[in-house]
């Protein structure tokens, strides 16, 4: 591993996608210079770079969003958690992989200890549904 002291995101998926996109840009450049099929061929190659990168990411050769632990910074380290999806990753969500659910803390409703407990629960349920409360006994 090189002397990098932070995660720069170098992955097989990233390098492969960059290489394919660069080749597509070169072919597009040839098309601009006079080889007309090169424009469309190059644009197609650049579009395939997105699909190649996405496929490699889903296969575990990419990286999840955020900084990885230091032992996973190496280029040839495969991400074993990719099969279930990464939390907060657009590519995983597009593939139908949701990742670990994000838990949010929801405070429980306070307990009503008055004699009108049933009326209070009806009122709180109605106010949550944006409907008028029926407080008839």
């Amino acid at each position: 591993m090189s002397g990098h002291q932070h995660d720069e995101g170098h992955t097989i998926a990233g390098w492969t996608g960059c290489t394919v996109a660069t080749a597509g840009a070169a072919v597009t450049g040839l098309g601009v210079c006079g080889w007309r099929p090169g424009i469309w061929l190059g644009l197609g190659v650049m579009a395939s770079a997105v699909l190649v990168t996405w496929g490699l990411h889903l296969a575990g050769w990419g990286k999840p969003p955020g900084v990885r632990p230091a032992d996973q910074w190496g280029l040839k380290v495969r991400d074993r958690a990719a099969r279930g999806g990464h939390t907060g990753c657009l590519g995983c969500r597009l593939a139908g992989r949701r990742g670990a659910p994000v838990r949010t803390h929801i405070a429980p409703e306070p307990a009503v200890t008055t004699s009108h407990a049933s009326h209070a629960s009806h009122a709180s349920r109605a106010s949550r549904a944006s409907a008028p409360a029926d407080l008839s006994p």
Side-chain angles (χ1 to χ4, degrees), residues 87 98-104:
T87 303
R98 300 291 176 198
V102 177
R103 294 186 176 246
T104 58

Side-chain angles (χ1 to χ4, degrees), residues 13-130:
W15 282 108
T16 304
C18 183
T19 303
V20 172
T22 301
V27 172
T28 302
L30 288 173
V32 170
C33 291
W35 185 52
R36 293 294 171 204
I39 293 175
W40 297 110
L41 182 64
L43 291 175
V45 170
M46 284 193 281
S48 70
V50 173
L51 298 175
V52 166
T53 305
W54 185 32
L56 287 170
H57 170 78
L58 294 175
W61 292 109
K63 92 179 210 44
V67 179
R68 297 175 290 180
D71 63 332
Q72 296 178 9
W73 288 357
L75 180 66
K76 296 179 182 178
V77 176
R78 191 167 185 180
D79 182 14
R80 301 286 181 203
R83 182 171 290 279
H86 300 114
T87 303
C89 176
L90 176 62
C92 291
R93 284 196 314 257
L94 289 173
R97 299 177 181 178
R98 300 291 176 198
V102 177
R103 294 186 176 246
T104 58
H105 177 70
I106 300 174
E109 282 190 30
V112 179
T113 58
T114 64
S115 63
H116 300 288
S118 64
H119 292 298
S121 67
H122 288 295
S124 86
R125 271 188 258 133
S127 66
R128 279 184 263 146
S130 336

